[in-house]
Structure formats: C-alpha cells, structure tokens
Amino acid sequence: MTVDVITAVKGTVDSKYGISFCRKTAESPVMIKEVRKEGIFAQQGLVPGMVVKSVNGEKVQWKRPTDAATILAQTGVGTEVSVAVECFTGSVHRNHKSQKWGLTLKNSTKKSGIFISCIEEDGLFASTELKAGMKVIRINGRKCPRKVQDVISMVARTGDDLEIVAVYADPRAEDSSDSDDEDESRDEVTGLAGSNRMFPSLALL
C-alpha cells in the first residue's frame, strides 16, 4: 500500500477544509467521502475513497468519521493540517510480451473515472493488492485519464513496468440518501463491475 501525507494551512477564520469523512460499516476504515472545490484541500491530491490513516498525527482509521472531523475542527488558523491517506498499489514487471497484465478496466456513466472491473487469475496483477471495483487514480505516477482510450495509449507507452494506484470506489456515487447514520454506506466496492449499460467502455490490458 501507498501512504501519502497531505498538508494544508487554514489561512483565515473563514477558510474551509472542504473535506468530509465516511465509512461503509462500523467495521470499515474511515475514508475520504468528498473533497469540495472551495476547500483548502481542493488542489492537494485528496481523492474520495482514500483510506484515512491519521489526521494531524492522530490515528483515525478505525475510529468514527466524526472523530476525524473533530480533530480538523480543533486546528487553529495559521496551523498546518496533515491528513495521512492510504491507496492500494499494484506494481508489476513483464518479462516478455506474451505475458498479460490481466486487467479489465471500464469507465462509468454513473460514476466518474476509470474502474477495475476484473482481475484475471493468470494475469500479472493477480498477486497484487488491487481488487475489482476499485477506482484507478494513477498509472506509473501520472494521473489516470478519464477515458479508456487514453488509458490504453498510456499503458502502451509504459514498456514492461506498470504501476497502478487505486482507491475504493467513490463513496458519493451510491450515497443518495439523507440518512443521519454517518456509518451508513452502500456496497460500492465488492464484486465485479456492473453491466455494459453502466460501463460502456472496455480495455483489456
């Protein structure tokens, strides 16, 4: 797994952090739910679906989302705020061209981005921590394109080393209720990706 520490400074009393937290169930880790454009973290690289390890050095991964939010709220103006987040990384090397990456990627008309819909058992990525349903955010250190065709072009230029960084599927995508239960979430991760109506584009890598 890859852990990134994202920092920002609250410049004024009116500055907003612009991030919110959630978890799928009481046994699930705390995740980034939303990153708002007007917040101080908007351009810092946080992505919905990232697992939150700590806030300002305090471990929150297995606590309640409100615990993470409370730590943020207690940070004063002019103080640096840090959020340590975790992503899932698959890094493989192809010894010869006949070896296949073994990934099926699709993009969605319902959820923004590129998603892993299938990992083949005999492919190179089968032994990595990547799972079907995850959202791809980086490919070989570069931001993942929004279109499958662009992903194909990027992978074709990578040679024999390929690293994919992914997060849990965007928690906002299936959270359409106004429930007061902060831990309530939908099953946006488990299982293979949906039908071709939801995922019209396909890339076999």
Side-chain angles (χ1 to χ4, degrees):
M1 293 185 182
T2 301
V3 177
D4 296 327
V5 179
I6 310 298
T7 61
V9 176
K10 184 176 182 179
T12 68
V13 174
D14 295 328
S15 297
K16 305 295 184 183
Y17 294 111
I19 58 176
S20 59
F21 307 95
C22 69
R23 60 182 179 181
K24 288 167 62 65
T25 68
E27 290 74 35
S28 299
V30 172
M31 297 186 295
I32 297 292
K33 179 178 181 180
E34 185 177 13
V35 182
R36 302 183 185 92
K37 294 180 179 179
E38 68 274 14
I40 63 175
F41 280 101
Q43 304 299 322
Q44 304 303 105
L46 288 180
V47 176
M50 286 180 166
V51 173
V52 181
K53 299 282 289 183
S54 66
V55 177
N56 286 351
E58 295 189 38
K59 295 180 180 180
V60 298
Q61 180 174 350
W62 302 110
K63 295 184 178 181
R64 295 169 64 88
T66 50
D67 295 327
T70 297
I71 296 171
L72 279 184
Q74 293 172 343
T75 305
V77 175
T79 304
E80 184 178 77
V81 182
S82 66
V83 180
V85 291
E86 186 175 69
C87 305
F88 300 88
T89 303
S91 184
V92 299
H93 173 75
R94 185 169 59 180
N95 292 315
H96 48 81
K97 298 296 183 182
S98 62
Q99 287 184 300
K100 59 182 180 178
W101 304 119
L103 276 182
T104 303
L105 303 180
K106 296 181 179 181
N107 52 8
S108 166
T109 57
K110 184 177 180 181
K111 296 182 282 189
S112 174
I114 300 293
F115 295 83
I116 300 171
S117 65
C118 182
I119 298 178
E120 299 178 22
E121 292 183 358
D122 57 347
L124 292 174
F125 278 96
S127 60
T128 70
E129 60 191 17
L130 299 181
K131 304 294 182 184
M134 288 182 173
K135 179 179 180 178
V136 179
I137 61 170
R138 292 196 296 268
I139 298 176
N140 282 358
R142 298 178 60 186
K143 185 178 180 179
C144 180
R146 297 175 65 88
K147 297 180 180 180
V148 167
Q149 292 81 358
D150 295 332
V151 173
I152 294 174
S153 298
M154 179 180 286
V155 172
R157 298 192 298 267
T158 63
D160 294 321
D161 293 289
L162 182 58
E163 180 182 86
I164 291 179
V165 178
V167 298
Y168 287 124
D170 191 336
R172 298 169 301 173
E174 298 183 24
D175 185 12
S176 58
S177 70
D178 294 323
S179 171
D180 292 330
D181 184 355
E182 66 182 34
D183 297 330
E184 183 175 351
S185 181
R186 304 295 180 265
D187 186 8
E188 65 272 304
V189 178
T190 57
L192 296 181
S195 66
N196 286 334
R197 178 187 63 81
M198 184 181 295
F199 295 88
S201 299
L202 172 67
L204 290 175
L205 305 179

